[in-house]
Amino acid sequence: MSITKQLLRCSIPIAIVLASIAANHIFQVWLLLGFSRHVHNHVPGNCRHVPPVDQGSEDVTVLPNGVAFMSSGIKLPNRDNSKVVGNIFTFDFNHPDKNATAMSLVGFDQSTFVPHGVSYYREPTSGKYFLFVVNHHPTGEKVERFRINFKEKALYHEKTFSDPGLWSVNDVAVTSLETFYASNDRWNAHHHTRYQMLEFLFLRKWGSIAYYDGERARTVTSYGYSFPNGVNISPDGGTVAVATFLGQSVHLFTREADDSLSEVAEIPLHSHCDNVEFDPDRPSDLWLGCHPILWRCFQKEDSKTPPPSQVLKVSFDPRNMSSPAEIVELYMDDSRILMGSAGAAHYRGKLLIGTVFQKLMYCDINVPY
């Protein structure tokens, strides 16, 4: 038998194997993008848009007193960002008929403000509240610390955190005035959008959680998470929740004495959830804003198929977090009312839904949950 024929006989099986691997990968990407998924509209009660928010409310967090803060004005690579202005808005659940209010940023250059994830901290001695905000600054990833002045409706800038260990920050969960957890959603830096897209196309699980200890950031989980997005910490500081956007799960971690994280549960959500919020009154409940159909997240607001919205409530047993959790869908919309939900916050029967680039929604909850 000639060498040519031998090579041909060997190459055919190899080609079949490679083609099978490629076909399987393409099928997995097709499933992840959600081309076969459908949306069934339903709301938990009376809902309304909350002016003047119209450039997104990407992350929402609610304080124990019922006052919510949200980031607005994230700049996205596939949209016109020329008129996008970074802002922090506040909404009072105690007066749900009122509109949101833009906070004044004191001692801070708002032209360099591209806010993303937010997290609050109450200083135990003074009782003062502080807001930490992820800022995709033109010079690199930063986390900004503001002191909240409720009376003046102002945020006083106090400090900027940056570190090589914070390279693609999506969200933060604050543990003190100088320390916090942060989600590095991808291996490649935030401004390397092409490389980040390759991570997605090849389904690489290279995201991780870092802890900034006041001096430097170190990775406190493995690099085995598929786009870890929202990160939050329970009111008692003992449990950390992480929503993996491409992993379609929420992970629960126990916080160790050295601030490392030990995973105790992964709860499948079968949806691409963005941010996660602990309920201020019932910390065994998590609220998540989700994107049920991934491929539509890449569509623009004026397209025929803009991204739909979904809100999930996840209830877990704090005594046995690895036991099955209860998942309730409170809101679903095909984008006719709300586009691209990114976060959800609950306060005593009331719901606030934030979006990536569009409006803010308030809903009364009049259904069992």
Side-chain angles (χ1 to χ4, degrees):
M1 183 181 295
S2 66
I3 297 178
T4 303
K5 290 183 177 180
Q6 288 180 343
L7 290 175
L8 184 61
R9 289 184 61 183
C10 293
S11 62
I12 291 176
I14 294 174
I16 292 173
V17 170
L18 292 176
S20 300
I21 293 173
N24 178 69
H25 181 81
I26 293 171
F27 180 65
Q28 294 302 319
V29 172
W30 183 84
L31 287 177
L32 187 67
L33 288 169
F35 286 105
S36 62
R37 293 183 178 179
H38 302 277
V39 172
H40 303 283
N41 296 347
H42 65 92
V43 296
N46 294 325
C47 296
R48 71 175 182 93
H49 291 136
V50 182
V53 181
D54 61 3
Q55 291 186 341
S57 39
E58 207 280 339
D59 195 12
V60 183
T61 188
V62 59
L63 278 58
N65 61 2
V67 176
F69 287 84
M70 65 223 66
S71 59
S72 178
I74 188 170
K75 295 182 179 180
L76 302 172
N78 60 333
R79 288 182 170 82
D80 179 12
N81 297 310
S82 60
K83 297 181 180 180
V84 176
V85 178
N87 267 314
I88 298 294
F89 286 91
T90 183
F91 176 85
D92 192 347
F93 274 104
N94 302 293
H95 303 282
D97 56 323
K98 294 186 177 181
N99 293 336
T101 301
M103 301 291 285
S104 299
L105 304 182
V106 182
F108 186 77
D109 182 4
Q110 196 168 357
S111 67
T112 64
F113 196 38
V114 186
H116 202 159
V118 297
S119 178
Y120 76 86
Y121 178 73
R122 181 182 182 274
E123 205 284 315
T125 303
S126 65
K128 294 179 179 179
Y129 282 94
F130 297 82
L131 191 71
F132 287 60
V133 185
V134 174
N135 182 17
H136 300 304
H137 193 277
T139 62
E141 299 291 81
K142 302 182 187 302
V143 176
E144 314 289 354
R145 188 181 79 199
F146 298 91
R147 176 171 49 86
I148 302 173
N149 188 309
F150 293 95
K151 186 177 181 180
E152 297 179 8
K153 300 187 185 306
L155 296 175
Y156 284 80
H157 187 255
E158 291 194 340
K159 188 171 183 178
T160 296
F161 302 89
S162 62
D163 188 88
L166 305 172
W167 63 81
S168 184
V169 185
N170 193 300
D171 197 10
V172 290
V174 182
T175 56
S176 78
L177 283 176
E178 300 290 333
T179 60
F180 51 84
Y181 290 97
S183 57
N184 283 314
D185 53 23
R186 284 160 286 192
W187 176 264
N188 288 283
H190 177 75
H191 60 279
H192 291 157
T193 54
R194 292 182 179 179
Y195 295 135
Q196 290 184 339
M197 182 57 68
L198 287 175
E199 281 189 52
F200 163 68
L201 291 176
F202 286 98
L203 304 180
R204 297 298 85 194
K205 297 180 179 181
W206 288 348
S208 61
I209 304 299
Y211 184 75
Y212 185 83
D213 62 10
E215 296 182 356
R216 67 181 185 90
R218 72 182 196 276
T219 301
V220 290
T221 64
S222 67
Y223 289 95
Y225 296 95
S226 188
F227 205 111
N229 200 320
V231 56
N232 216 312
I233 190 166
S234 60
D236 65 2
T239 304
V240 172
V242 177
T244 52
F245 183 71
L246 296 181
Q248 303 184 75
S249 300
V250 61
H251 299 257
L252 299 178
F253 299 85
T254 297
R255 184 184 176 193
E256 304 296 346
D258 63 351
D259 296 309
S260 62
L261 298 178
S262 298
E263 184 172 345
V264 292
E266 178 183 359
I267 303 172
L269 302 175
H270 307 290
S271 187
H272 303 277
C273 293
D274 204 319
N275 290 296
V276 56
E277 178 82 356
F278 279 92
D279 193 297
D281 294 324
R282 187 180 169 85
S284 59
D285 285 352
L286 302 173
W287 294 82
L288 301 103
C290 307
H291 304 274
I293 301 177
L294 182 58
W295 71 269
R296 289 174 62 174
C297 291
F298 303 103
Q299 303 298 299
K300 296 183 178 181
E301 186 175 357
D302 57 356
S303 72
K304 294 182 180 180
T305 54
S309 296
Q310 181 188 41
V311 172
L312 299 179
K313 179 181 77 77
V314 177
S315 301
F316 63 91
D317 185 351
R319 297 164 298 181
N320 182 17
M321 289 187 282
S322 61
S323 62
E326 179 187 56
I327 303 174
V328 178
E329 183 183 83
L330 268 294
Y331 183 92
M332 178 77 93
D333 176 66
D334 62 3
S335 75
R336 282 181 288 182
I337 300 175
L338 196 68
M339 299 181 188
S341 55
H346 170 262
Y347 186 77
R348 300 178 183 177
K350 306 177 184 71
L351 179 64
L352 200 61
I353 310 172
T355 64
V356 177
F357 60 86
Q358 201 216 16
K359 300 178 181 180
L360 178 69
M361 176 78 77
Y362 167 82
C363 294
D364 293 312
I365 302 180
N366 298 322
V367 297
Y369 67 104

